[in-house]
Amino acid sequence: GIQVEQSPPDLILQEGANSTLRCNFSDSVNNLQWFHQNPWGQLINLFYIPSGTKQNGRLSATTVATERYSLLYISSSQTTDSGVYFCAVGGSSNDYKLSFGAGTTVTVRA
Amino acid sequence: AAGVIQSPRHLIKEKRETATLKCYPIPRHDTVYWYQQGPGQDPQFLISFYEKMQSDKGSIPDRFSAQQFSDYHSELNMSSLELGDSALYFCASSITPRVGEQFFGPGTRLTVL
């Protein structure tokens, strides 16, 4: 199956700081999603981004499919941004399940 | 907007008991996926259904079974529960397998004592 690597594994930020999370994957994909898992365990869809660039408020994401990586940018971080950020990918045309990376744990300090 | 509904949200069972988790996909979504997330781990794919037929299978124990019904809701049945089955179980749905984005429900937290 597709291998997904996220970096860094942990990130500690001061409120107001900017950060970049990275997701590398081992094969071509037809689906790439970024999620935020809050302290209550809910997986919140951030972006569906198999290619290109998207922005939603203080968050933006870029996927360069030909180079097999995606980046998630958090700007002006807030304490509510704390949690685990997962990148998940779906592979070939007959493989629709998502394979998740190990996640990046983000802690934003006031 | 309507979201994926899962019930129950929390479930406590004893070892060797049986549990049934239910998932109601977003209206007009015909594909359902089940994932299991152990403590401190990332979600792992269990099984999926498209148009009421099993479409893919992951590392799902033989003690687990699942199906999708005519109204597209799905149930995950877990028998002979073990301590290691304690996890967060997510259901996700998509409009079809070929339109990629999966929308996740809030999860069912299963605790096996």
Side-chain angles (χ1 to χ4, degrees), chain A residues 30-31 33 35 37 39-43 45 47-48 86 93-103, chain B residues 9 33 35 37 41-45 56-58 88 90 97-106 109:
Chain A
N30 56 23
N31 182 2
Q33 295 184 235
F35 297 90
Q37 188 163 41
W40 296 271
Q42 292 185 315
L43 277 174
N45 283 43
F47 294 102
Y48 168 67
F86 287 106
S93 58
N94 292 318
D95 181 9
Y96 304 109
K97 63 181 179 289
L98 290 177
S99 297
F100 283 74
Chain B
R9 295 290 307 277
Y33 311 80
Y35 295 85
Q37 185 179 24
Q41 299 179 1
D42 55 280
Q44 296 290 316
F45 171 74
D56 200 358
K57 195 172 182 180
L88 196 50
F90 289 104
R98 293 169 182 79
V99 178
E101 186 171 13
Q102 295 183 23
F103 295 85
F104 279 68
R109 189 173 297 277

Side-chain angles (χ1 to χ4, degrees), chain B residues 12-18 80-83 111-113:
Chain B
I12 298 175
K13 292 286 185 178
E14 299 279 343
K15 280 196 312 183
R16 293 179 290 277
E17 286 191 321
T18 297
S80 303
L81 287 169
E82 302 174 355
L83 296 179
T111 302
V112 182
L113 301 176

Side-chain angles (χ1 to χ4, degrees), chain B residues 26-101:
Chain B
I26 292 172
R28 293 183 298 280
H29 284 197
D30 58 13
T31 306
V32 167
Y33 311 80
W34 287 96
Y35 295 85
Q36 177 193 55
Q37 185 179 24
Q41 299 179 1
D42 55 280
Q44 296 290 316
F45 171 74
L46 291 177
I47 195 167
S48 63
F49 294 88
Y50 168 57
E51 281 292 346
K52 292 155 280 185
M53 299 288 290
Q54 181 181 308
S55 56
D56 200 358
K57 195 172 182 180
S59 304
I60 183 169
D62 291 341
R63 300 177 289 107
F64 294 7
S65 65
Q67 58 182 320
Q68 186 179 32
F69 294 86
S70 58
D71 63 351
Y72 295 103
H73 93 271
S74 179
E75 294 184 5
L76 177 65
N77 298 292
M78 311 160 67
S79 62
S80 303
L81 287 169
E82 302 174 355
L83 296 179
D85 296 329
S86 295
L88 196 50
Y89 290 84
F90 289 104
C91 172
S93 72
S94 64
I95 196 163
T96 74
R98 293 169 182 79
V99 178
E101 186 171 13

Side-chain angles (χ1 to χ4, degrees), chain A residues 7-77:
Chain A
S7 59
D10 300 280
L11 193 56
I12 299 176
L13 302 170
Q14 203 64 33
E15 199 168 29
N18 302 329
S19 62
T20 301
L21 282 59
R22 187 176 179 102
C23 172
N24 293 331
F25 42 95
S26 61
D27 205 345
S28 59
V29 298
N30 56 23
N31 182 2
L32 190 146
Q33 295 184 235
W34 282 98
F35 297 90
H36 175 215
Q37 188 163 41
N38 63 25
W40 296 271
Q42 292 185 315
L43 277 174
I44 309 300
N45 283 43
L46 296 178
F47 294 102
Y48 168 67
I49 187 167
S51 63
T53 297
K54 290 186 177 180
Q55 181 159 4
N56 184 3
R58 296 181 296 102
L59 301 180
S60 62
T62 295
T63 297
V64 183
T66 53
E67 297 187 22
R68 299 181 185 169
Y69 74 89
S70 183
L71 302 174
L72 177 69
Y73 305 97
I74 305 174
S75 65
S76 304
S77 58

